[in-house]
Amino acid sequence: MITWNNLDTLASYQELLGLERVDLAAAMTGENGAERVKNYSVPMAEGMAYNFGAKSVDDKVLEVLAKLADEAQLVDKFAALYNGEVINTGEKRRVLHHLVRGQLGEDVIADGVNKREFYVKQQTDIAAFANKVHNGEITNAAGEKFTTVVQIGIGGSDLGPRAVYLALEGWAKVHNTLKMNAGFISNVDPDDASLVLSNIDVAHTIFVLVSKSGTTLETLTNESFVKDAIVKAGLNPADHMIAVTSETSPLAKSADYLAAFFMDDYIGGRYSVTSGVGAAVLSLAFGPEVFAAFLDGAAAADKLSTNKDIMANPAMLDALIGVYERNVLGYLDTAVLPYSQALSRFPAHLQQLDMESNGKSVNRFGEPINYVTGPVIFGEPGTNGQHSFYQLLHQGTDIVPLQFIGFKNNQMENDVVIQGSTSQQKLCANVAAQIVAFACGKDDEDANKKFQGGRPSSIIVGDQLTPASLGALLSHFECKVMFQGFVWNINSFDQEGVQLGKVLAKKVLAHETDGALKVYSDLLNI
Amino acid sequence: MITWNNLDTLASYQELLGLERVDLAAAMTGENGAERVKNYSVPMAEGMAYNFGAKSVDDKVLEVLAKLADEAQLVDKFAALYNGEVINTGEKRRVLHHLVRGQLGEDVIADGVNKREFYVKQQTDIAAFANKVHNGEITNAAGEKFTTVVQIGIGGSDLGPRAVYLALEGWAKVHNTLKMNAGFISNVDPDDASLVLSNIDVAHTIFVLVSKSGTTLETLTNESFVKDAIVKAGLNPADHMIAVTSETSPLAKSADYLAAFFMDDYIGGRYSVTSGVGAAVLSLAFGPEVFAAFLDGAAAADKLSTNKDIMANPAMLDALIGVYERNVLGYLDTAVLPYSQALSRFPAHLQQLDMESNGKSVNRFGEPINYVTGPVIFGEPGTNGQHSFYQLLHQGTDIVPLQFIGFKNNQMENDVVIQGSTSQQKLCANVAAQIVAFACGKDDEDANKKFQGGRPSSIIVGDQLTPASLGALLSHFECKVMFQGFVWNINSFDQEGVQLGKVLAKKVLAHETDGALKVYSDLLNI
């Protein structure tokens, strides 16, 4: 029997508040520090590991975090979710993104449909379509192959698929599986569409229009932009566009599209990368097999998240340590720092995933809560970040918890030796060095050169960023965010905070404004 | 006579702490709100305006902030800086980035050289070189024109020039002044260089190697990558590379480069976009006239920063309001939200500019301070951010001050009308709506749909993002960061916090590690 309780009503949380704080710099020093880093590691899917040696926890804290996991029934709540209960209570919806990549529990029948079968059918249909495009069965009107795919979507229809495309572009090039180049149009700013269109060959491009409702203003506007460009090129838009939308949307059965593939209300935008939202553009870009491997990696990580033992459930452990840092230690924000240029936009995806899910001030029953919830997420790839904002992370007045990601091998199988080491070794040496620098610090007579240390971080280490390990990484963070939402007793699957801006923007466009809003509208010449 | 005092020793700061807090939601409601937004606006350079109607200040707070500006001698300190005093006391250096775009004070003679003349000579030399490349006087060995320029640099040699290139790429296209496409290689991750090189035609590319010391490991490593690629293409690297470096660096007089242009120790990396660091790549990409217009805009904004009146000095006012929010109201972070896709990487540049400058815990004399300094900076363009992390900004448990940027007109002169409005109007309507939504909020019986409001923001409004307005925008933030550093009594021009990581990374590469560092090195297979 599941019960939903606020974090501050839980006995284990009160116990956490009373625990002695860990002196991280001391704990990480000497051979004890070495032992700690060896022990504080949990296997992840696809051969990766979550290492939390440099987090501000010790065995005692971990013991109470395990109690918290039990008391908050985290794994039971996940089971309720994947078995199809209405976990998104605000919008009265099930939450089924795990079902696109496997089935962890019972059959989920909704609206008379077996949802796993529905999702698999979309994947199969998309794969068949992509194969036909790649082998030349589907071509442009002149009978020429399509070479480029451009996604038109915003938010979850943009950030996740874009991050994944960039993460695998180099890998796909060296594995000869980059079938089509991909572009992305998202912003309602007309210059976004104009610039993307100016850089592609429209005659050889398929556009993927992604909108669940078929009414997202940004996306419809950009569709119109693209249609104009296709017509200007003397072509028929219906030969160049496909839709990913819900079965009930105006786009679903329109003759305006070469094909339509379907999504539903049970997968929120920010959890939709593994659904048709990502499947279409990524299967076209990389081939359906690569997309399938990506799903397999995510499925393997999902399965780990069903373990009740926190030392065998890396996403849940990561979530619990994050709660400890935020609610007990009072740290702000979380920086996500991948030492992999291919993950350049992965932090931007996590920004939506995490902040839109857990940036809430009421519990799942709509009652105000008395503790902080989701942190601000930001980040850039290392080593670039080291030459940018790490100064503040090392010597600033706030402590920001860090989440590093690193791989032993690079993707593109090309490297140079300079001063006795490869670039990949330099990259890895830097992330190892940063973890210890943040945790241990360094004393100096000159206070300006002193590093306080005690700045906690974790690292996810993998062999290589591949479709499968990327899928596992994605699932890790999706599950982490979900578990944190369970701990905070909030609904991580709605987003009421985006509504007011939409309502007021419509008023501005209808010239139905007064007061300050009218002055701003005038200022901006609307 | 300038005196350097900690913020908490100033009478005006104590007065600020005692002031009554502004009820922003109330202040922004009704006709009073409209009056407030009209009045709380300060002209910026290039026809822009800094509007702070939605900030948590009132006339009384502004009065004391003006006292603080006087008591902390902000404008006098800026004068000391541009007149060539050694303001970067830690590294015993002058701070002269303003001098590349104009001269606000006395001649600055350093090392026997008039520095303004030195900087202008570099610009002139770069312009002459760029013109020769554009008109075909300088070609590749086959006598063909160069079509692409690739910057090799990291940190300030990457983020600023990259942000500016992206900001003006579309504008340059429609103004027929995109002379060469630009690419950027920065990360020591070998996949960064590999992917960029796989997407360009090396035979028609000029590479700009940017390293002040000529010893930056990431940059030298990537130079080697690029040289390998050039040699593999059967070409001579010396025909394809130029250097931007200091006169004393090993790169300065090397036959390995087509040409070398010079920088010096008085312009830090994060303040170097307007120096030779940005001049070479941007003059090659857009032509020297566009780069000169960019400098003119920055110079005009610099001049405004000499005004003692806070209502005529937008950068200083912005800085002071930021200090009030951070040190008195206790708000965290700052989100920079440009409603302009062209500014997609401007927040990443500001992240370095602000966090590396002001993420400090000691004052300029190396003494610990007892107040918070620079905030975490993050941001993405609107409307994309609205579909991502705005949920947390509206309904999360922390208040994050917001800095919007918007333009009345788009850059690429192409737009569509959908549902009665252009995309540009939709873009502007959204930013107007967001400001009011954040400030005023909205009550609702359902607490999940309630917006607390009271979330402060400012907006910089301009006619269009052009080379000149972009220059003014850049200067605004450079001066804001500088003024905040003066208020906090810290040195905004050194970065000792990046040193420890470098030292430890060298140890890892030399296999001179023990304890935790050795374990992490093993984990990462180094």
Side-chain angles (χ1 to χ4, degrees), chain A residues 173 187 189 191 198-199 221 326 333 341 345 352 361 380 391 395 398 411-412 423 448 494 497, chain B residues 173 187 189 191 198-199 221 326 333 341 345 361 380 387 391 395 398 411-412 423 448 494 497:
Chain A
K173 277 201 175 192
N187 204 329
D189 180 346
D191 290 341
S198 77
N199 285 328
T221 302
R326 181 119 172 99
D333 307 339
Q341 186 64 22
R345 292 300 285 168
Q352 181 192 18
S361 297
E380 292 285 335
Q391 163 68 39
Q395 293 189 318
D398 298 321
Q411 289 185 312
M412 293 188 72
S423 285
N448 196 28
D494 67 356
Chain B
K173 277 202 174 190
N187 204 329
D189 180 345
D191 290 341
S198 78
N199 286 325
T221 301
R326 182 121 170 97
D333 307 338
Q341 186 64 24
R345 293 299 286 168
S361 297
E380 292 286 336
H387 292 259
Q391 164 68 40
Q395 292 189 320
D398 297 321
Q411 287 185 311
M412 292 188 72
S423 286
N448 196 28
D494 67 357

Side-chain angles (χ1 to χ4, degrees), chain B residues 120-299:
Chain B
V120 170
K121 177 168 186 329
Q122 303 314 312
Q123 290 164 11
T124 311
D125 289 353
I126 288 170
F129 179 83
N131 285 333
K132 283 183 191 169
V133 170
H134 298 153
N135 68 22
E137 277 183 69
I138 295 175
T139 63
N140 69 10
E144 298 156 338
K145 273 197 181 186
F146 290 108
T147 59
T148 304
V149 52
V150 173
Q151 176 102 332
I152 307 173
I154 194 164
S157 302
D158 169 55
L159 292 164
R162 192 193 294 250
V164 170
Y165 176 75
L166 293 174
L168 296 178
E169 185 187 5
W171 181 91
K173 277 202 174 190
V174 294
H175 288 82
N176 290 319
T177 183
L178 186 64
K179 312 277 186 184
M180 301 169 80
N181 291 308
F184 295 85
I185 296 174
S186 54
N187 204 329
V188 77
D189 180 345
D191 290 341
D192 189 12
S194 291
L195 191 63
V196 172
L197 289 168
S198 78
N199 286 325
I200 60 168
D201 169 18
V202 169
H204 298 93
T205 300
I206 289 186
F207 296 89
V208 185
L209 188 76
V210 185
S211 170
K212 193 187 288 180
S213 63
T215 62
T216 312
L217 194 56
E218 282 91 343
T219 302
L220 293 186
T221 301
N222 280 320
E223 179 191 23
S224 172
F225 239 98
V226 164
K227 281 188 172 169
D228 281 1
I230 298 172
V231 170
K232 263 185 213 157
L235 303 165
N236 178 6
D239 292 340
H240 289 263
M241 302 192 86
I242 64 174
V244 178
T245 188
S246 70
E247 288 179 296
T248 56
S249 112
L251 316 177
K253 278 163 191 124
S254 163
D256 289 352
Y257 306 100
L258 261 176
F261 307 103
F262 301 118
M263 54 212 274
D264 65 26
D265 281 342
Y266 306 131
I267 300 183
R270 57 194 178 271
Y271 297 94
S272 69
V273 198
T274 49
S275 79
V277 170
V281 60
L282 297 169
S283 298
L284 284 163
F286 301 134
E289 294 76 16
V290 170
F291 188 72
F294 172 64
L295 295 190
D296 288 347

